[in-house]
Amino acid sequence: KTTAQEVIDVAGAGDTALAALTLSILSGSNIHNAVRLANYAAGIKVWKLGVKTVTKEELENLLIDKEIKDLLESKPNNDDTN
């Protein structure tokens, strides 16, 4: 599932994605998770003006936010007040 976001600058986004993909695969991730991580890393990069790095902390924070959001969206609605 993807979401639209504001894009500031795409310079370096492909390099960021490729670096994250490579690192993830070399660290033992399966291809599905490696591609997701690369996509998230590139998504962080496009929020930044110029060729900038994506930090481990930025990526961890985004993944935590997405995990929490996914959990909230998948939680069944137990509200019986229709």
Short mmCIF file of all heavy atoms in Angstrom, two decimals, residues 36-77:
data_model
loop_
_atom_site.label_atom_id
_atom_site.label_comp_id
_atom_site.label_asym_id
_atom_site.label_seq_id
_atom_site.Cartn_x
_atom_site.Cartn_y
_atom_site.Cartn_z
N ARG A 36 10.77 -2.85 0.28
CA ARG A 36 9.97 -1.94 1.12
C ARG A 36 10.86 -0.95 1.84
O ARG A 36 10.57 0.25 1.88
CB ARG A 36 9.14 -2.73 2.13
CG ARG A 36 7.97 -3.47 1.49
CD ARG A 36 7.11 -4.17 2.50
NE ARG A 36 6.46 -3.17 3.34
CZ ARG A 36 5.93 -3.44 4.51
NH1 ARG A 36 5.96 -4.65 5.00
NH2 ARG A 36 5.33 -2.50 5.21
N LEU A 37 11.96 -1.42 2.40
CA LEU A 37 12.89 -0.55 3.10
C LEU A 37 13.48 0.49 2.15
O LEU A 37 13.58 1.67 2.48
CB LEU A 37 14.00 -1.37 3.75
CG LEU A 37 14.98 -0.56 4.59
CD1 LEU A 37 14.34 -0.15 5.90
CD2 LEU A 37 16.25 -1.34 4.85
N ALA A 38 13.85 0.06 0.95
CA ALA A 38 14.41 0.98 -0.04
C ALA A 38 13.39 2.05 -0.42
O ALA A 38 13.73 3.24 -0.56
CB ALA A 38 14.83 0.19 -1.28
N ASN A 39 12.13 1.66 -0.57
CA ASN A 39 11.08 2.61 -0.89
C ASN A 39 10.90 3.63 0.24
O ASN A 39 10.76 4.83 -0.01
CB ASN A 39 9.77 1.87 -1.16
CG ASN A 39 8.69 2.78 -1.66
OD1 ASN A 39 8.90 3.60 -2.54
ND2 ASN A 39 7.50 2.64 -1.08
N TYR A 40 10.90 3.18 1.46
CA TYR A 40 10.77 4.09 2.60
C TYR A 40 11.96 5.05 2.67
O TYR A 40 11.79 6.24 2.94
CB TYR A 40 10.65 3.32 3.92
CG TYR A 40 9.36 2.54 4.08
CD1 TYR A 40 9.34 1.35 4.77
CD2 TYR A 40 8.17 3.01 3.53
CE1 TYR A 40 8.16 0.64 4.93
CE2 TYR A 40 6.99 2.30 3.68
CZ TYR A 40 6.99 1.12 4.39
OH TYR A 40 5.83 0.41 4.54
N ALA A 41 13.16 4.54 2.44
CA ALA A 41 14.35 5.39 2.49
C ALA A 41 14.28 6.48 1.41
O ALA A 41 14.57 7.65 1.68
CB ALA A 41 15.61 4.54 2.31
N ALA A 42 13.88 6.11 0.20
CA ALA A 42 13.74 7.10 -0.87
C ALA A 42 12.65 8.10 -0.54
O ALA A 42 12.76 9.29 -0.83
CB ALA A 42 13.45 6.41 -2.19
N GLY A 43 11.58 7.63 0.10
CA GLY A 43 10.51 8.52 0.52
C GLY A 43 10.97 9.56 1.51
O GLY A 43 10.55 10.72 1.46
N ILE A 44 11.84 9.17 2.42
CA ILE A 44 12.41 10.14 3.37
C ILE A 44 13.28 11.14 2.63
O ILE A 44 13.22 12.34 2.87
CB ILE A 44 13.23 9.42 4.47
CG1 ILE A 44 12.30 8.58 5.35
CG2 ILE A 44 14.01 10.43 5.30
CD1 ILE A 44 13.05 7.64 6.28
N LYS A 45 14.09 10.65 1.70
CA LYS A 45 15.01 11.52 0.97
C LYS A 45 14.27 12.63 0.22
O LYS A 45 14.70 13.77 0.22
CB LYS A 45 15.86 10.69 0.01
CG LYS A 45 17.03 11.37 -0.68
CD LYS A 45 16.75 12.64 -1.24
CE LYS A 45 17.44 13.66 -1.87
NZ LYS A 45 16.63 14.84 -2.06
N VAL A 46 13.15 12.32 -0.42
CA VAL A 46 12.46 13.33 -1.23
C VAL A 46 11.83 14.44 -0.39
O VAL A 46 11.40 15.45 -0.94
CB VAL A 46 11.42 12.71 -2.20
CG1 VAL A 46 12.10 11.76 -3.17
CG2 VAL A 46 10.27 12.06 -1.47
N TRP A 47 11.79 14.29 0.91
CA TRP A 47 11.35 15.37 1.80
C TRP A 47 12.44 16.40 2.01
O TRP A 47 12.20 17.46 2.58
CB TRP A 47 10.96 14.83 3.17
CG TRP A 47 9.77 13.93 3.21
CD1 TRP A 47 8.74 13.85 2.32
CD2 TRP A 47 9.49 12.97 4.21
NE1 TRP A 47 7.84 12.91 2.70
CE2 TRP A 47 8.27 12.35 3.88
CE3 TRP A 47 10.14 12.58 5.38
CZ2 TRP A 47 7.69 11.35 4.65
CZ3 TRP A 47 9.56 11.60 6.16
CH2 TRP A 47 8.36 10.99 5.79
N LYS A 48 13.66 16.10 1.57
CA LYS A 48 14.82 16.96 1.84
C LYS A 48 15.27 17.66 0.57
O LYS A 48 15.28 17.07 -0.50
CB LYS A 48 15.98 16.12 2.39
CG LYS A 48 15.65 15.38 3.67
CD LYS A 48 16.82 14.52 4.10
CE LYS A 48 16.53 13.81 5.40
NZ LYS A 48 17.73 13.16 5.92
N LEU A 49 15.68 18.91 0.71
CA LEU A 49 16.18 19.68 -0.43
C LEU A 49 17.66 19.38 -0.63
O LEU A 49 18.45 19.43 0.31
CB LEU A 49 15.99 21.18 -0.18
CG LEU A 49 16.41 22.12 -1.30
CD1 LEU A 49 15.62 21.83 -2.57
CD2 LEU A 49 16.20 23.57 -0.89
N GLY A 50 18.03 19.03 -1.85
CA GLY A 50 19.41 18.72 -2.17
C GLY A 50 19.71 17.25 -1.95
O GLY A 50 18.86 16.47 -1.55
N VAL A 51 20.94 16.88 -2.26
CA VAL A 51 21.37 15.50 -2.07
C VAL A 51 21.76 15.34 -0.61
O VAL A 51 22.79 15.85 -0.16
CB VAL A 51 22.54 15.13 -3.00
CG1 VAL A 51 23.01 13.71 -2.76
CG2 VAL A 51 22.14 15.33 -4.45
N LYS A 52 20.92 14.69 0.13
CA LYS A 52 21.10 14.51 1.58
C LYS A 52 21.05 13.03 1.93
O LYS A 52 20.48 12.22 1.20
CB LYS A 52 20.00 15.23 2.36
CG LYS A 52 19.83 16.69 2.04
CD LYS A 52 20.95 17.51 2.59
CE LYS A 52 20.66 18.97 2.31
NZ LYS A 52 21.70 19.84 2.64
N THR A 53 21.60 12.71 3.06
CA THR A 53 21.56 11.32 3.53
C THR A 53 20.27 11.07 4.31
O THR A 53 19.64 11.99 4.80
CB THR A 53 22.76 11.00 4.44
OG1 THR A 53 22.73 11.88 5.57
CG2 THR A 53 24.07 11.15 3.70
N VAL A 54 19.93 9.81 4.41
CA VAL A 54 18.84 9.36 5.26
C VAL A 54 19.48 8.65 6.44
O VAL A 54 20.27 7.73 6.26
CB VAL A 54 17.89 8.41 4.49
CG1 VAL A 54 16.85 7.81 5.41
CG2 VAL A 54 17.24 9.15 3.33
N THR A 55 19.15 9.08 7.64
CA THR A 55 19.78 8.48 8.82
C THR A 55 19.03 7.23 9.26
O THR A 55 17.85 7.03 8.94
CB THR A 55 19.81 9.47 10.00
OG1 THR A 55 18.46 9.72 10.44
CG2 THR A 55 20.49 10.77 9.62
N LYS A 56 19.74 6.42 9.99
CA LYS A 56 19.15 5.22 10.57
C LYS A 56 17.97 5.60 11.45
O LYS A 56 16.92 4.94 11.42
CB LYS A 56 20.21 4.47 11.38
CG LYS A 56 19.70 3.25 12.10
CD LYS A 56 20.79 2.64 12.94
CE LYS A 56 20.24 1.51 13.78
NZ LYS A 56 21.22 1.00 14.75
N GLU A 57 18.11 6.66 12.22
CA GLU A 57 17.05 7.10 13.12
C GLU A 57 15.80 7.53 12.35
O GLU A 57 14.68 7.23 12.75
CB GLU A 57 17.54 8.25 14.01
CG GLU A 57 18.57 7.83 15.04
CD GLU A 57 19.98 7.62 14.46
OE1 GLU A 57 20.28 8.14 13.36
OE2 GLU A 57 20.77 6.91 15.10
N GLU A 58 16.00 8.24 11.23
CA GLU A 58 14.85 8.66 10.41
C GLU A 58 14.11 7.44 9.87
O GLU A 58 12.87 7.40 9.89
CB GLU A 58 15.31 9.53 9.24
CG GLU A 58 15.77 10.91 9.63
CD GLU A 58 16.39 11.66 8.48
OE1 GLU A 58 17.14 11.06 7.68
OE2 GLU A 58 16.11 12.87 8.37
N LEU A 59 14.86 6.47 9.40
CA LEU A 59 14.25 5.27 8.85
C LEU A 59 13.54 4.47 9.94
O LEU A 59 12.41 4.01 9.76
CB LEU A 59 15.31 4.43 8.16
CG LEU A 59 14.85 3.35 7.21
CD1 LEU A 59 13.84 3.85 6.20
CD2 LEU A 59 16.03 2.75 6.48
N GLU A 60 14.17 4.33 11.10
CA GLU A 60 13.55 3.61 12.21
C GLU A 60 12.25 4.29 12.65
O GLU A 60 11.24 3.62 12.87
CB GLU A 60 14.50 3.52 13.40
CG GLU A 60 15.63 2.55 13.20
CD GLU A 60 16.66 2.58 14.31
OE1 GLU A 60 16.72 3.58 15.07
OE2 GLU A 60 17.43 1.61 14.41
N ASN A 61 12.27 5.63 12.75
CA ASN A 61 11.07 6.36 13.16
C ASN A 61 9.94 6.18 12.15
O ASN A 61 8.79 6.01 12.54
CB ASN A 61 11.38 7.84 13.36
CG ASN A 61 12.22 8.10 14.58
OD1 ASN A 61 12.23 7.30 15.52
ND2 ASN A 61 12.93 9.20 14.58
N LEU A 62 10.26 6.22 10.87
CA LEU A 62 9.24 6.03 9.84
C LEU A 62 8.67 4.62 9.92
O LEU A 62 7.45 4.43 9.84
CB LEU A 62 9.81 6.29 8.44
CG LEU A 62 8.83 6.07 7.30
CD1 LEU A 62 7.70 7.10 7.35
CD2 LEU A 62 9.54 6.15 5.96
N LEU A 63 9.52 3.63 10.10
CA LEU A 63 9.05 2.25 10.17
C LEU A 63 8.18 2.03 11.40
O LEU A 63 7.16 1.33 11.33
CB LEU A 63 10.23 1.28 10.16
CG LEU A 63 11.02 1.23 8.86
CD1 LEU A 63 12.27 0.40 9.02
CD2 LEU A 63 10.17 0.72 7.71
N ILE A 64 8.54 2.63 12.51
CA ILE A 64 7.72 2.52 13.73
C ILE A 64 6.37 3.17 13.50
O ILE A 64 5.33 2.60 13.82
CB ILE A 64 8.45 3.14 14.93
CG1 ILE A 64 9.64 2.26 15.33
CG2 ILE A 64 7.50 3.32 16.12
CD1 ILE A 64 10.60 2.91 16.30
N ASP A 65 6.37 4.38 12.90
CA ASP A 65 5.11 5.07 12.61
C ASP A 65 4.23 4.24 11.68
O ASP A 65 3.02 4.13 11.89
CB ASP A 65 5.36 6.43 11.97
CG ASP A 65 5.94 7.44 12.95
OD1 ASP A 65 5.91 7.19 14.17
OD2 ASP A 65 6.43 8.48 12.48
N LYS A 66 4.82 3.66 10.64
CA LYS A 66 4.04 2.87 9.68
C LYS A 66 3.52 1.60 10.34
O LYS A 66 2.39 1.18 10.07
CB LYS A 66 4.89 2.53 8.47
CG LYS A 66 5.16 3.73 7.61
CD LYS A 66 5.21 3.33 6.17
CE LYS A 66 5.38 4.51 5.28
NZ LYS A 66 4.13 5.24 5.05
N GLU A 67 4.32 0.97 11.20
CA GLU A 67 3.88 -0.25 11.88
C GLU A 67 2.68 0.05 12.78
O GLU A 67 1.69 -0.68 12.78
CB GLU A 67 5.02 -0.84 12.70
CG GLU A 67 4.66 -2.13 13.40
CD GLU A 67 5.84 -2.72 14.15
OE1 GLU A 67 6.97 -2.66 13.64
OE2 GLU A 67 5.61 -3.24 15.25
N ILE A 68 2.76 1.15 13.52
CA ILE A 68 1.65 1.53 14.39
C ILE A 68 0.41 1.84 13.56
O ILE A 68 -0.69 1.39 13.88
CB ILE A 68 2.05 2.73 15.27
CG1 ILE A 68 3.10 2.29 16.29
CG2 ILE A 68 0.83 3.34 15.96
CD1 ILE A 68 3.76 3.42 17.04
N LYS A 69 0.58 2.58 12.47
CA LYS A 69 -0.54 2.92 11.60
C LYS A 69 -1.17 1.65 11.02
O LYS A 69 -2.39 1.50 10.99
CB LYS A 69 -0.08 3.84 10.47
CG LYS A 69 -1.19 4.29 9.57
CD LYS A 69 -0.68 5.22 8.50
CE LYS A 69 -1.81 5.58 7.55
NZ LYS A 69 -1.36 6.32 6.40
N ASP A 70 -0.34 0.72 10.56
CA ASP A 70 -0.84 -0.54 10.00
C ASP A 70 -1.63 -1.33 11.05
O ASP A 70 -2.67 -1.91 10.76
CB ASP A 70 0.29 -1.39 9.44
CG ASP A 70 0.88 -0.82 8.16
OD1 ASP A 70 0.26 0.08 7.56
OD2 ASP A 70 1.98 -1.27 7.78
N LEU A 71 -1.11 -1.34 12.28
CA LEU A 71 -1.81 -2.06 13.35
C LEU A 71 -3.16 -1.41 13.63
O LEU A 71 -4.16 -2.10 13.83
CB LEU A 71 -0.96 -2.07 14.62
CG LEU A 71 0.24 -3.01 14.62
CD1 LEU A 71 1.08 -2.79 15.88
CD2 LEU A 71 -0.19 -4.46 14.52
N LEU A 72 -3.20 -0.09 13.66
CA LEU A 72 -4.46 0.61 13.93
C LEU A 72 -5.47 0.40 12.80
O LEU A 72 -6.66 0.23 13.05
CB LEU A 72 -4.21 2.11 14.12
CG LEU A 72 -3.46 2.48 15.39
CD1 LEU A 72 -3.16 3.97 15.39
CD2 LEU A 72 -4.24 2.10 16.63
N GLU A 73 -4.99 0.38 11.56
CA GLU A 73 -5.89 0.18 10.43
C GLU A 73 -6.41 -1.24 10.35
O GLU A 73 -7.51 -1.47 9.87
CB GLU A 73 -5.19 0.56 9.12
CG GLU A 73 -4.97 2.04 8.97
CD GLU A 73 -4.22 2.40 7.71
OE1 GLU A 73 -3.75 1.49 7.01
OE2 GLU A 73 -4.09 3.59 7.44
N SER A 74 -5.65 -2.20 10.83
CA SER A 74 -6.08 -3.60 10.74
C SER A 74 -6.88 -4.04 11.97
O SER A 74 -7.45 -5.10 11.97
CB SER A 74 -4.86 -4.52 10.58
OG SER A 74 -4.07 -4.50 11.74
N LYS A 75 -6.92 -3.20 12.99
CA LYS A 75 -7.66 -3.54 14.21
C LYS A 75 -9.16 -3.54 13.94
O LYS A 75 -9.69 -2.57 13.41
CB LYS A 75 -7.33 -2.53 15.31
CG LYS A 75 -7.90 -2.89 16.64
CD LYS A 75 -7.44 -1.91 17.71
CE LYS A 75 -8.02 -2.28 19.06
NZ LYS A 75 -7.58 -1.36 20.09
N PRO A 76 -9.85 -4.62 14.28
CA PRO A 76 -11.30 -4.65 14.05
C PRO A 76 -12.00 -3.60 14.90
O PRO A 76 -11.59 -3.31 16.02
CB PRO A 76 -11.71 -6.06 14.46
CG PRO A 76 -10.56 -6.66 15.16
CD PRO A 76 -9.34 -5.82 14.88
N ASN A 77 -13.06 -3.06 14.37
CA ASN A 77 -13.84 -2.07 15.08
C ASN A 77 -14.79 -2.79 16.03
O ASN A 77 -15.67 -3.50 15.60
CB ASN A 77 -14.62 -1.20 14.08
CG ASN A 77 -15.34 -0.07 14.79
OD1 ASN A 77 -15.34 0.03 16.00
ND2 ASN A 77 -15.96 0.78 14.00
#
